[in-house]
Amino acid sequence: MKNLKKTSYALFIAIFVLYKSSVSWCNGQETETEGAAMEKREKEALYSAIQGFVGQGWNGSDLYPDPCGWTPIPGVACDIYDGNWYVTALNIGPIHENSLGCASNLQFSPQLFELKHLRSLSFFNCMPHQSYPIKMPIHNWSTLSGSLESLEFRSNPGLIGQIPTTFGDLTKLQSLVLLENGLSGELPINVGNLLHLKRLVLSGNQFTGQVPDSFGTLSKLLILDLSRNSLSGALPYTLSALKSLLKLDLSRNQFTGNFPKEIGNLKNLTLLDLSNNKFSGGMTESIQYMGSLEELVLSSNPIGGDIMRLRWHYLQSLTILDLSNTGLTGGVPESISQLKSLRFLGLNDNNLTGDLSPKLAALPNISAIYLHGNNLTGELKFSDKFYERLGRRFGAWNNPNLCYPKGVLSTSKIPYGVKSCEQEVNLYKRGADTKIKPGSYQDSIVVASLGYSRNGMDWFWCACMVMTVVFFNYAM
């Protein structure tokens, strides 16, 4: 009993000490946070910057007297440096329900560039109207070079102008996203100075000219998206140095030249989209060694060439393969049937010939196969279950000499736009494998060569009877 009392007393003391310690620690933290102030100049710069974006009627000092404390401003994040609060993130636009809306006469206040600890700055759907264009500021960006790590302008079609060359001074940037704006002009060479960049997205603008060679110096880049612009010319060889790249999207531009064989050096790529350009010269064999590829989209390019020579079974991670409208010739490689992860196969609108391997239907994860608009021949040897699973997602129409076996498939499973195979009769062989269909032009020639007409044979039998009678009379 005495031992139990001692144990209970010791436990009580331990809990009491732990409680006092936790209260002291919490009080200490509270004191430190509550004691932190915000420099007057920092606070005024914040109010002025936001007022320029949301309108002159916005009074920050009345609405948010303690913007980094008990009255936080939506879209603003702060941190403590040397005992004072400083703004570290500023997100402008309707990101959340309580986000501050942007004024139609938005202005970039010079005070924005006085937020010396700003690490993240983003504008989302803040300049949506092209009828009220806002020009991208070109000066002062270098004042944020010591802190800014992320700069994003998303869905601002009213934002016009060029990419400021001063962006090249933001050497701490890890993410530069200029997505779906109204920006134009050529890509600045000094973007290549941003050696810490991991994401560079310039998609959906009106950029022109060529991709600078300097982009090949961005060795830490994981995502490069230049899609949906008017960029042109050949791709720089230097892009092959981006060994860390995971996603490369150059689709919907006007790039020209041979299909870049240097692309094969990017062994870590999971997505390669070069669709809707003007690449030509056949597909490089180096692409078959890009074992990490999950999506390969090359559609709508005059690439041309025969894809039978590529070892497609090397690309075991591939889920999407879109080579439609690329001027391909030759047959459909049977090795594609070994891509067990493949979900989408697009080979339509090419010049492909030959028979289809029935092994394509055995792809375990396939959900769409498009082969229409080619010159494929022979009989489709796929099962009812295959047609039932894919339905209209199996496209084989506009292949005049392709057919399905008559009487084998149920009416509901007949592939759309494909005719049934007519029975072939081997009446006469002009060559080793020549088969002639009844009623065809060749059939008429064969019948004529035997000396009679299909529609008038009575005279032949009459002649035979006369000859028979004469023979027997002579014999007797």
Side-chain angles (χ1 to χ4, degrees), residues 300-453:
S300 299
N301 279 286
I303 295 174
D306 188 344
I307 58 173
M308 292 288 286
R309 57 192 174 83
L310 271 68
R311 298 176 177 87
W312 292 100
H313 57 281
Y314 287 3
L315 303 176
Q316 284 300 310
S317 298
L318 213 57
T319 61
I320 295 175
L321 176 58
D322 190 355
L323 305 179
S324 58
N325 191 27
T326 52
L328 299 178
T329 59
V332 177
E334 187 174 295
S335 58
I336 290 179
S337 64
Q338 299 180 43
L339 302 178
K340 303 304 181 184
S341 300
L342 198 64
R343 292 186 284 108
F344 178 93
L345 176 61
L347 296 174
N348 53 285
D349 300 308
N350 284 295
N351 299 308
L352 298 173
T353 57
D355 295 353
L356 285 174
S357 170
K359 294 180 180 179
L360 287 176
L363 287 167
N365 293 299
I366 199 71
S367 59
I369 297 179
Y370 294 107
L371 304 165
H372 53 276
N374 283 288
N375 295 310
L376 299 172
T377 57
E379 183 179 293
L380 289 173
K381 299 178 181 178
F382 301 151
S383 66
D384 266 27
K385 289 183 178 179
F386 171 79
Y387 294 119
E388 183 177 7
R389 181 160 58 95
L390 265 64
R392 288 290 183 94
R393 295 191 306 277
F394 175 71
W397 57 88
N398 290 344
N399 284 282
N401 297 311
L402 192 66
C403 62
Y404 68 89
K406 188 175 182 180
V408 175
L409 299 176
S410 60
T411 305
S412 61
K413 307 298 189 304
I414 293 174
Y416 174 77
V418 179
K419 64 184 179 181
S420 64
C421 300
E422 295 181 10
Q423 186 178 3
E424 295 182 1
V425 179
N426 191 6
L427 291 176
Y428 174 73
K429 291 188 178 182
R430 290 179 296 170
D433 298 313
T434 304
K435 292 184 178 181
I436 299 171
K437 298 177 181 178
S440 66
Y441 173 72
Q442 289 87 350
D443 182 33
S444 301
I445 295 175
V446 172
V447 172
S449 69
L450 295 177
Y452 57 86
S453 167

Side-chain angles (χ1 to χ4, degrees), residues 236-248:
Y237 172 79
T238 54
L239 291 186
S240 63
L242 304 180
K243 300 297 177 60
S244 298
L245 207 59
L246 300 177
K247 296 185 178 182
L248 176 60

Side-chain angles (χ1 to χ4, degrees), residues 127-442:
M127 296 153 266
H129 304 296
Q130 293 178 328
S131 54
Y132 299 100
I134 306 294
K135 196 160 187 178
M136 170 76 82
I138 59 175
H139 302 295
N140 301 323
W141 289 103
S142 57
T143 62
L144 301 177
S145 62
S147 62
L148 201 61
E149 298 175 359
S150 176
L151 177 60
E152 300 190 4
F153 289 85
R154 295 176 180 263
S155 303
N156 299 287
L159 179 66
I160 63 172
Q162 299 184 1
I163 297 178
T165 56
T166 48
F167 276 12
D169 298 329
L170 303 174
T171 53
K172 288 193 173 183
L173 268 188
Q174 297 182 30
S175 176
L176 176 58
V177 176
L178 307 176
L179 175 65
E180 295 176 348
N181 302 295
L183 299 173
S184 58
E186 297 188 354
L187 305 181
I189 295 175
N190 63 355
V191 169
N193 296 340
L194 309 179
L195 300 181
H196 294 287
L197 267 188
K198 295 180 180 178
R199 178 171 57 172
L200 178 58
V201 177
L202 308 178
S203 176
N205 288 280
Q206 302 167 29
F207 296 126
T208 56
Q210 295 184 298
V211 177
D213 289 345
S214 61
F215 278 30
T217 63
L218 305 175
S219 59
K220 295 184 179 180
L221 211 56
L222 302 177
I223 298 173
L224 177 58
D225 186 351
L226 307 179
S227 63
R228 293 180 291 137
N229 284 291
S230 297
L231 298 169
S232 59
L235 295 182
Y237 172 79
T238 54
L239 291 186
S240 63
L242 304 180
K243 300 297 177 60
S244 298
L245 207 59
L246 300 177
K247 296 185 178 182
L248 176 60
D249 190 347
L250 305 177
S251 62
R252 297 188 180 278
N253 279 286
Q254 299 173 24
F255 292 117
T256 57
N258 287 347
F259 188 89
K261 63 180 181 180
E262 296 81 17
I263 290 289
N265 295 332
L266 308 179
K267 304 296 186 184
N268 292 311
L269 271 188
T270 60
L271 178 144
L272 175 60
D273 190 345
L274 304 180
S275 60
N276 291 275
N277 280 288
K278 300 177 182 179
F279 291 114
S280 58
M283 195 175 302
T284 175
E285 292 186 13
S286 63
I287 208 165
Q288 66 194 8
Y289 301 111
M290 301 173 68
S292 297
L293 269 183
E294 298 175 8
E295 301 179 38
L296 176 58
V297 183
L298 306 177
S299 56
S300 299
N301 279 286
I303 295 174
D306 188 344
I307 58 173
M308 292 288 286
R309 57 192 174 83
L310 271 68
R311 298 176 177 87
W312 292 100
H313 57 281
Y314 287 3
L315 303 176
Q316 284 300 310
S317 298
L318 213 57
T319 61
I320 295 175
L321 176 58
D322 190 355
L323 305 179
S324 58
N325 191 27
T326 52
L328 299 178
T329 59
V332 177
E334 187 174 295
S335 58
I336 290 179
S337 64
Q338 299 180 43
L339 302 178
K340 303 304 181 184
S341 300
L342 198 64
R343 292 186 284 108
F344 178 93
L345 176 61
L347 296 174
N348 53 285
D349 300 308
N350 284 295
N351 299 308
L352 298 173
T353 57
D355 295 353
L356 285 174
S357 170
K359 294 180 180 179
L360 287 176
L363 287 167
N365 293 299
I366 199 71
S367 59
I369 297 179
Y370 294 107
L371 304 165
H372 53 276
N374 283 288
N375 295 310
L376 299 172
T377 57
E379 183 179 293
L380 289 173
K381 299 178 181 178
F382 301 151
S383 66
D384 266 27
K385 289 183 178 179
F386 171 79
Y387 294 119
E388 183 177 7
R389 181 160 58 95
L390 265 64
R392 288 290 183 94
R393 295 191 306 277
F394 175 71
W397 57 88
N398 290 344
N399 284 282
N401 297 311
L402 192 66
C403 62
Y404 68 89
K406 188 175 182 180
V408 175
L409 299 176
S410 60
T411 305
S412 61
K413 307 298 189 304
I414 293 174
Y416 174 77
V418 179
K419 64 184 179 181
S420 64
C421 300
E422 295 181 10
Q423 186 178 3
E424 295 182 1
V425 179
N426 191 6
L427 291 176
Y428 174 73
K429 291 188 178 182
R430 290 179 296 170
D433 298 313
T434 304
K435 292 184 178 181
I436 299 171
K437 298 177 181 178
S440 66
Y441 173 72
Q442 289 87 350

